[in-house]
Amino acid sequence: MNSLVLLIICVAVLVCGYIFYGGWLCKQWGVGESKEQTPAHTMEDGIDYVPAKAPVLMGHHFSSIAGAGPITGPIGAAMFGWLPVTLWILVGGIFFGGVHDFGALFASIRHKGQSIGEVISANMSRRAKRLFIIFSYLTLILVVAAFASIVATTFGATVDESGAIDKAASASQASVAMVSLLFILIAIVFGFCVYRRNASMGVASVVGVLAIVAIMAIGMNFHPIYLKANTWMIIVGIYIAIASVTPVWILLQPRDYLSSFLLYAMLIVAVVGVVGAHPDIDPELFPAFAGFAVDNGNGMQYLFPVLFTTVACGAISGFHSLVSSGTTSKQLDKETDAKPIAYGGMLLECVLAVLTLCAIGYARKIGHTAGATDIFAGGIAGMVAAIPGLAGLENILYTLLILTYSAFCLTSLDTATRLARFMFQEFWLEPGQTPNDIKDGWKKVMVNPYFATILTVVLGVLLGLNGYAKIWGLFGAANQLLAGIGLLAVATWLGNAGKNNKMFLAPMGFMIVVTICSLLLTVKNQIGIISAGGADWGPYAQVIFGVLLVILAVVLVIEGIQTLRGKNKA
């Protein structure tokens, strides 16, 4: 298969899905029929509820949901061959992920911009809401721990045998750190100019993009800050604590908007590489189908359910529903913006996942196989360098692609922290309440944004410093359980509202089955490790949490079915 042909077919399918299926969803749900303003206007507070222009909000949403997921997912699932991964990206993106993200955003704006947990509370039961929020909060703590650790490691200087910093070996880490710090600075300036000095969005965008180019040039040539990873972990913790409680117009909106230009540039460079080089995918290096069971060196991996928990962000991801109903819904200017931002954003992420598949094939051909960043950056840069006259750009593009890839870990990190803060606050609320409705008592402390943020950051950083990787194996299944429950929540709301919800039922059932099968396999494998002797706390934790997640899935599915049948009495 030629990579260019593969890309053209996939893009054509995704565009048709957006136009026809996305348009049909709008009609079925009545998107845009309400004459009421969105929560960004009716509940505007200048901090979390702030109307954003569609391009700005698209930048935030796309940067937050994309991150590293649509790159690492296809790379992890590539062991099964490019064909099953491609089919899941297309089917999953159009009929699963797009519906999930769009539905979560739409449901949230009809519930005061609150999370899927509040949608569950209003349409299923208070118990179901609390179970969902506990699960979501713990999952977000794991995400904060993982991304904080990744960012700190990416920034952290290399140390020699004596424990001293080796500056010569740490130049690339220091460069990434410098660019990231400067990026935060220009985002704040951008936000101040646009939102407080009413600068033209077009002019500010051009200046912002030029500033991004400038800080990359500066960071690659001037990077005086060399700190160890643990020190960066503390600094990152302080940063996300501040970033998650500041008004979104100061940092979140402008930073994610500007970050999106990096992501768009990465997409453009990748497309140029595929179009210009149009390499064939070597069936010996990257077969179309490698089998339903593959031994990847870490034991036998089965296409079902591994494929569907590994290619998450590139097809469907539970984290997306938290973003859609957590930050995006509080900034949506018009209800009609929901389709391009949520459904369109998901399908654009599918394009990135397909480009990653093209990169995998070429990266294997030229020897870039040292991890996800090397595979993606090496494959894309290699394809561009294969275009006549562009060979000299390979090393520069490789470095810039890695810088871009790393930048999104930080973007996803403080979004996850803000989402966890929302979840913690909503746990203590009664149906229909907002934090502002709590005037006194111990609940006033619990819904305080500063208390919720500090608790989240402390838990996340401590886990990041003390071995989050020991339980990271549960994340894929936990994330897809979030997706299944998100689909269930929106389905129950649409059913109660008298709207067509049938497009949710098959995806919901499939994701719940995938999740339970994956969790049971994980529990079985971890019990085997424990039985062999010498296991630390990691396998025990995975067994306990794995069993609890299966129980959670069953309980919520039962409540959801009762609601859909009109038998829920809670």
Side-chain angles (χ1 to χ4, degrees):
M1 169 64 77
N2 184 273
S3 57
L4 178 56
V5 173
L6 177 65
L7 178 62
I8 291 173
I9 292 172
C10 291
V11 170
V13 171
L14 293 169
V15 169
C16 289
Y18 177 80
I19 294 172
F20 297 108
Y21 197 64
W24 180 75
L25 292 175
C26 289
K27 292 179 181 178
Q28 293 300 305
W29 302 345
V31 177
E33 292 179 358
S34 174
K35 296 181 180 180
E36 294 183 6
Q37 289 186 311
T38 62
H41 293 280
T42 60
M43 302 181 66
E44 185 172 2
D45 59 7
I47 299 176
D48 297 316
Y49 290 83
V50 178
K53 295 179 180 179
V56 175
L57 188 54
M58 180 63 174
H60 158 69
H61 185 79
F62 190 37
S63 297
S64 296
I65 66 170
I71 295 173
T72 58
I75 290 173
M79 58 184 165
F80 298 112
W82 60 263
L83 183 57
V85 178
T86 301
L87 291 175
W88 174 232
I89 289 170
L90 296 179
V91 175
I94 293 171
F95 299 105
F96 286 66
V99 175
H100 169 266
D101 295 13
F102 188 12
L105 176 56
F106 184 53
S108 179
I109 61 176
R110 293 294 180 91
H111 288 80
K112 300 181 180 180
Q114 292 179 303
S115 75
I116 288 296
E118 186 59 31
V119 176
I120 290 174
S121 176
N123 295 277
M124 289 170 58
S125 74
R126 181 182 176 189
R127 180 182 67 176
K129 165 198 169 180
R130 289 193 165 180
L131 287 173
F132 174 78
I133 288 182
I134 290 171
F135 162 57
S136 301
Y137 184 75
L138 293 176
T139 302
L140 286 169
I141 291 295
L142 182 57
V143 171
V144 170
F147 278 81
S149 181
I150 291 170
V151 170
T153 302
T154 304
F155 292 177
T158 303
V159 296
D160 57 27
E161 294 181 356
S162 66
I165 292 175
D166 184 346
K167 290 190 175 182
S170 305
S172 61
Q173 296 99 304
S175 178
V176 172
M178 189 65 180
V179 171
S180 298
L181 293 174
L182 292 173
F183 197 95
I184 293 170
L185 179 61
I186 65 169
I188 293 173
V189 173
F190 180 93
F192 179 78
C193 291
V194 170
Y195 291 102
R196 287 297 178 268
R197 289 292 179 265
N198 297 316
S200 164
M201 179 62 72
V203 173
S205 297
V206 172
V207 174
V209 170
L210 293 175
I212 292 172
V213 175
I215 64 171
M216 284 192 163
I218 293 170
M220 293 175 69
N221 294 282
F222 177 72
H223 36 76
I225 303 174
Y226 291 83
L227 301 172
K228 295 181 180 179
N230 282 357
T231 304
W232 275 117
M233 193 75 169
I234 303 301
I235 294 173
V236 167
I238 295 171
Y239 163 73
I240 60 176
I242 296 172
S244 65
V245 293
T246 54
V248 292
W249 64 266
I250 291 178
L251 183 59
L252 186 80
Q253 286 182 356
R255 186 215 52 211
D256 290 356
Y257 174 63
L258 293 174
S259 291
S260 69
F261 285 104
L262 290 175
L263 193 51
Y264 300 146
M266 185 168 70
L267 285 167
I268 292 170
V269 170
V271 170
V272 168
V274 173
V275 173
H278 52 271
D280 291 327
I281 299 176
D282 190 333
E284 296 295 323
L285 296 174
F286 194 12
F289 181 59
F292 290 100
V294 176
D295 189 345
N296 68 345
N298 295 314
M300 194 63 69
Q301 303 293 313
Y302 300 95
L303 187 143
F304 183 90
V306 174
L307 172 65
F308 307 102
T309 58
T310 303
V311 186
C313 289
I316 179 172
S317 167
F319 180 69
H320 292 192
S321 68
L322 302 185
V323 175
S324 291
S325 67
T327 51
T328 304
S329 63
K330 294 176 176 63
Q331 302 171 65
L332 194 74
D333 183 37
K334 296 180 295 183
E335 194 169 277
T336 50
D337 290 341
K339 179 192 170 186
I341 289 170
Y343 197 78
M346 179 66 243
L347 298 192
L348 190 58
E349 195 168 9
C350 293
V351 174
L352 179 55
V354 173
L355 288 167
T356 300
L357 287 177
C358 297
I360 294 169
Y362 200 77
R364 291 181 177 180
K365 181 178 179 180
I366 61 178
H368 282 279
T369 57
T373 51
D374 182 59
I375 292 171
F376 180 77
I380 297 300
M383 283 190 287
V384 174
I387 300 172
L390 299 182
L393 294 177
E394 183 169 7
N395 289 335
I396 295 174
L397 285 176
Y398 181 85
T399 301
L400 291 178
L401 285 167
I402 289 180
L403 280 171
T404 301
Y405 179 88
S406 301
F408 288 102
C409 290
L410 191 59
T411 298
S412 297
L413 174 60
D414 62 40
T415 297
T417 307
R418 190 178 287 259
L419 292 172
R421 188 251 291 180
F422 291 154
M423 286 288 178
F424 187 86
Q425 290 176 283
E426 287 184 13
F427 179 83
W428 309 101
L429 302 178
E430 299 298 329
Q433 278 189 325
T434 67
N436 292 332
D437 296 327
I438 308 298
K439 302 301 182 183
D440 51 36
W442 61 272
K443 280 190 177 182
K444 182 68 175 177
V445 176
M446 294 300 174
V447 300
N448 182 280
Y450 302 104
F451 176 80
T453 298
I454 292 171
L455 179 65
T456 298
V457 171
V458 169
L459 291 175
V461 170
L462 286 176
L463 182 58
L465 290 171
N466 291 282
Y468 77 91
K470 295 181 185 296
I471 56 174
W472 184 249
L474 283 173
F475 177 74
N479 183 50
Q480 299 307 64
L481 177 55
L482 271 176
I485 297 171
L487 290 164
L488 172 63
V490 182
T492 56
W493 167 63
L494 285 171
N496 288 340
K499 301 287 187 180
N500 183 5
N501 64 358
K502 292 182 175 59
M503 69 288 294
F504 284 90
L505 302 183
M508 175 195 73
F510 183 78
M511 295 314 300
I512 293 293
V513 171
V514 163
T515 295
I516 292 176
C517 290
S518 178
L519 288 169
L520 292 176
L521 281 174
T522 298
V523 169
K524 175 179 175 292
N525 292 336
Q526 296 305 309
I527 289 175
I529 293 173
I530 294 170
S531 300
D536 59 14
W537 64 270
Y540 290 96
Q542 290 202 49
V543 168
I544 293 170
F545 285 115
V547 171
L548 290 175
L549 288 177
V550 170
I551 295 172
L552 171 69
V554 172
V555 170
L556 288 175
V557 167
I558 291 173
E559 291 222 17
I561 291 173
Q562 289 176 337
T563 303
L564 291 171
R565 290 180 176 177
K567 295 180 180 179
N568 191 49
K569 300 178 181 179

